[in-house]
Amino acid sequence: MADPNGFLKHRREEPKKRSTEDRLASWGEVYAEADAVERAEAVRTQASRCMDCGIPFCHSGASGCPLGNLIPEWNDLVRVGDWAAASDRLHATNNFPEFTGKLCPAPCESGCVLAISPQAGGAVAIKRVEEAIAARSWASGSVQPQVAEVSSGQRVAVVGSGPAGLAAAQQLTRAGHEVTVFERDDRLGGLLRYGIPEFKMEKKVLDRRLAQLRKEGTKFVTGCEVGVDLTVADLRAQYDAVVLAVGALRGRDDRTTPGRELSGIHLAMEHLVPANRAVEGDGPSPIDAKGRHVVIIGGGDTGADSYGTATRQGALSVTQLDQYPIPPADRDDERSPWPTWPYILRTYPAHEEAGERRFGVAVRRFVDDGEGNVAAIELQQVRVHKDPETGRREVRPVNDEVETLPADLVLLAIGFEGVEEMPLLAGLGLSLTRRGTLSCGADWQTETPGVFVCGDAHRGASLVVWAIAEGRSVAHAVDSYLTGASDLPAPVHPTALPLAVL
């Protein structure tokens, strides 16, 4: 059994990062290489802090991991040094633990019992343990293709190669179906490829997993927009079921701020995608921060990714703006009690490297340089008011004071509005909900028979762990649709939501 006193003996410790100078000089991941033996011992120590709680909220879909990762089990297997068994338990619920170990914000840690009180020394470093298990699994050669022994004779098309589409494809391939993944970009991976910067996850990690899928039998077609390059009629004629995992990439814009039409103002993804392409070797990005004063509007993950990208490109300055006041350093039990996801200040590695964050401010006007280019922003302190009846938010200036900041590259990272309009949807007879997503029934099937949906296309922009969970669940639904029953796991229901205070 686990050591119930482990958290009393050891404090939570994060892995060491490379120096700021090294990080800004390259696109490699921010964490430092560690001696394999030393790393294993450090991670075993962190795993020993897990108490194997009687009710482990960490792997509860509502308050922790939607995949249902068997966290206490593989924590204890790492503690005793049984890395092979830990890998088996981890891969039993998660197709891509190296993705979640690097990219997931770890709602499991917010649900950890040790996160209730700071006196406990902090939550178990679940994400660190998960990433270490995955890395060791690859290094030891224990991650091998799992080829189906019997073919079902059924063909499935998966549209989109992000984490949801890849998870669905791998599960269905292993169940014996002939699966083809269609991707409109020139490379596979969706946001994992072109949305996530190299310093968060090097693309060799993605390519390694794609190679496994290919060896298992999954087929991939890139540079193909379904509904254009492959007609909907041909798609339905050639495949027995279709899974839509097209993401929710329609970026939110704000055309109401005066000066928005000026050159040099872009949606954040217009900056991130070509920057990632440049790292892939496709040539210089047309939107480069080198030698420029960069202002990022929006305080979330996408904003932090643009922040770290701009500093590595050689920006003169980087300022990230958030209209909300600075969050508290510790959980506010009134606002977000344990085990819900806490509203706290989240500092990404990129924020430690350079630049500045400003809270409780908003842009009043974008300033023209006289030639149609943005040269500066006018900034005001603001307060966000929420109408208790309608829930609508209004941003109001606190006073009349206006501050001017230089800005010749402005990036809008204010969220996503849902699925992009595409010929495929019209061809399938599908329309978007008011949230900009695709609806489905309890069996993950859309209103068009034989067409299923999962991931951000269904949920809206969300976490990588939810994408994988939905991909696994839709695979169960498709397998049942094709064969009448399924032994594949289905970790989440289409209506599942994380626990929250309303």
Side-chain angles (χ1 to χ4, degrees):
M1 62 173 288
D3 181 357
N5 297 313
F7 76 98
L8 297 173
K9 303 173 187 175
H10 308 288
R11 305 289 289 183
R12 177 187 171 100
E13 290 185 1
E14 301 292 347
K16 291 182 173 59
K17 303 184 186 76
R18 294 190 292 133
S19 69
T20 297
E21 293 76 14
D22 286 346
R23 283 147 61 180
L24 293 179
S26 74
W27 290 94
E29 290 187 18
V30 301
Y31 294 100
E33 290 283 344
D35 175 79
V37 175
E38 292 179 0
R39 182 188 189 194
E41 191 57 36
V43 172
R44 286 181 62 185
T45 298
Q46 291 303 301
S48 72
R49 299 186 67 246
C50 176
M51 298 180 291
D52 192 9
C53 304
I55 303 178
F57 287 82
C58 58
H59 72 198
S60 159
S63 61
C65 179
L67 280 167
N69 277 342
L70 305 171
I71 296 167
E73 293 187 31
W74 42 256
N75 270 338
D76 196 50
L77 289 166
V78 169
R79 179 183 72 87
V80 299
D82 193 344
W83 291 89
S87 177
D88 288 342
R89 301 311 289 150
L90 178 55
H91 281 92
T93 57
N94 188 350
N95 295 71
F96 315 124
E98 66 273 31
F99 299 169
T100 50
K102 293 178 183 294
L103 303 176
C104 183
C108 54
E109 294 187 7
S110 299
C112 176
V113 167
L114 296 183
I116 296 176
S117 170
Q119 294 179 341
V124 174
I126 299 169
K127 180 176 173 178
R128 183 180 180 184
V129 177
E130 177 182 36
E131 197 276 332
I133 297 171
R136 188 160 177 134
S137 299
W138 282 104
S140 67
S142 62
V143 179
Q144 294 293 325
Q146 299 179 29
V147 181
E149 296 182 359
V150 178
S151 172
S152 70
Q154 305 276 3
R155 305 185 74 203
V156 181
V158 176
V159 185
S161 66
L166 292 178
Q170 185 166 64
Q171 293 292 95
L172 289 166
T173 299
R174 290 175 174 178
H177 305 298
E178 183 181 328
V179 180
T180 301
V181 178
F182 293 92
E183 171 57 58
R184 66 182 179 182
D185 281 328
D186 58 336
R187 296 184 180 93
L188 299 167
L191 282 182
L192 293 174
R193 174 75 63 184
Y194 288 134
I196 300 298
E198 189 84 351
F199 58 82
K200 286 181 68 174
M201 187 180 80
E202 295 177 357
K203 299 307 173 281
K204 64 183 181 183
V205 174
L206 170 60
D207 292 334
R208 181 177 59 190
R209 187 61 80 169
L210 289 170
Q212 182 199 33
L213 268 74
R214 285 191 174 96
K215 291 177 181 177
E216 291 175 344
T218 301
K219 297 180 176 65
F220 295 97
V221 179
T222 56
C224 178
E225 182 172 358
V226 181
V228 179
D229 304 300
L230 173 67
T231 68
V232 171
D234 286 343
L235 177 76
R236 299 309 308 272
Q238 295 174 28
Y239 295 93
D240 302 294
V242 176
V243 175
L244 301 179
V246 295
L249 298 175
R250 180 154 47 93
R252 182 173 291 118
D253 203 345
D254 179 11
R255 294 282 174 177
T256 63
T257 303
R260 170 61 183 89
E261 75 283 355
L262 295 173
S263 295
I265 304 173
H266 306 273
L267 299 183
M269 292 305 297
E270 297 172 357
H271 172 239
L272 284 173
V273 171
N276 278 306
R277 286 186 175 277
V279 177
E280 292 269 10
D282 290 352
S285 169
I287 304 174
D288 199 311
K290 184 178 177 64
R292 305 172 82 173
H293 295 286
V294 180
V295 170
I296 300 166
I297 301 174
D301 282 10
T302 303
D305 292 345
S306 291
Y307 192 115
T309 299
T311 56
R312 282 160 178 76
Q313 288 178 331
L316 286 179
S317 67
V318 180
T319 306
Q320 186 174 12
L321 310 178
D322 193 326
Q323 64 187 10
Y324 293 97
I326 186 168
D330 300 312
R331 184 195 292 269
D332 179 349
D333 288 333
E334 292 294 324
R335 181 167 187 165
S336 51
W338 180 87
T340 63
W341 179 251
Y343 175 69
I344 58 174
L345 178 64
R346 302 185 188 279
T347 299
Y348 298 83
H351 295 134
E352 304 166 353
E353 297 165 352
E356 166 186 29
R357 284 193 285 178
R358 302 278 298 273
F359 294 89
V361 293
V363 176
R364 176 177 176 267
R365 182 172 73 94
F366 298 108
V367 180
D368 195 334
D369 69 350
E371 298 182 359
N373 305 304
V374 65
I377 60 169
E378 291 183 354
L379 202 62
Q380 283 187 295
Q381 291 184 327
V382 297
R383 182 175 293 115
V384 180
H385 295 264
K386 181 178 180 181
D387 188 311
E389 294 184 1
T390 66
R392 297 189 64 178
R393 290 176 171 83
E394 182 182 1
V395 182
R396 302 174 186 171
V398 172
N399 51 48
D400 294 331
E401 295 181 10
V402 176
E403 178 184 358
T404 301
L405 287 180
D408 45 12
L409 177 58
V410 176
L411 304 173
L412 305 180
I414 53 178
F416 297 89
E417 292 188 333
V419 177
E420 295 173 302
E421 295 289 346
M422 55 185 71
L424 172 62
L425 302 185
L428 290 171
L430 299 176
S431 57
L432 301 178
T433 67
R434 289 192 302 173
R435 295 178 53 246
T437 58
L438 292 167
S439 62
C440 66
D443 61 354
W444 297 92
Q445 197 166 185
T446 67
E447 57 198 85
T448 301
V451 178
F452 300 76
V453 65
C454 65
D456 287 0
H458 161 254
R459 175 169 293 274
S462 187
L463 308 180
V464 63
V465 68
W466 276 99
I468 298 171
E470 292 212 354
R472 287 171 67 87
S473 297
V474 85
H476 170 94
V478 173
D479 191 34
S480 298
Y481 170 80
L482 295 175
T483 66
S486 179
D487 292 328
L488 294 177
V492 293
H493 188 272
T495 60
L497 293 171
L499 187 68
V501 176
L502 300 179

